[in-house]
Amino acid sequence: MNPFTVYLVRHGSTMLNGFDRMQGWIDSDLSEDGIQQAEQAAEKLAGIPFDRAFSSDLGRAVDTRDIILNALQQTPTETRVLPEFREVNFGFFEGLNSTDIWSGIAAPYGKHSQEDLIELGGLAETRKAMKAADPSHTAEDYDEVMARVKAGFQTLREHCQPGETVLLVSHGTLIRTIADYLVSTPMITTLKTVVLAS
């Protein structure tokens, strides 16, 4: 048992977010709004001393982490990237219009959007539907995502000491998947989420 607290933060909004593009493993810079959102997250985290600070290895998460640390004027004992916490891989659909893609994936089920699919069958079935629709067969399903996340939390346990407070900047769909998983399977780590943007 190695209890420590993780503040799980979504990165700020990016250029591709603004264009309603699928942004998983592909990357784009934080927009001006995204930079402001990272600064606002720092305001919400003011007064919390972080022993360690991690992020996904994607630039938008790294930049958000660094903006937060700079605004807080903190230098944790360890700052690094953890690839296990990068966004879900959307396979062939990376970079394409999100609304159009989810409409196409949902259509065989008589639905129109990602939210419709989640309401119909839950997040795991929604990930399965995307993987089934992906002609490249590289989109991650729920189990693949959670296997990666579990490996990431094992890495955290190996790095963190009992009682430490950790900043972890990741991605919207990954955080949503973690939250979904925790509903039925609590993990050792205490998670606190700071929402930056939808």
Side-chain angles (χ1 to χ4, degrees), residues 46-81:
I48 301 170
F50 290 107
D51 300 290
R52 301 175 198 274
F54 303 103
S55 72
S56 150
D57 60 337
L58 295 174
R60 58 194 188 269
V62 173
D63 290 346
T64 299
R65 179 200 68 199
D66 292 346
I67 289 169
I68 291 171
L69 290 178
N70 288 335
L72 295 176
Q73 298 183 342
Q74 291 190 26
T75 307
T77 57
E78 181 179 20
T79 302
R80 60 175 291 190
V81 298

Side-chain angles (χ1 to χ4, degrees), residues 12 14 29 68 90 111 127 139 189 193 198:
T14 69
D29 292 338
I68 291 171
F90 300 133
K111 300 297 177 180
R127 295 257 56 79
T189 306
T193 305
S198 61

Side-chain angles (χ1 to χ4, degrees), residues 138-151:
T138 57
E140 288 181 299
D141 65 21
Y142 191 93
D143 290 341
E144 290 169 326
V145 173
M146 282 312 306
R148 181 158 59 80
V149 167
K150 289 176 185 178

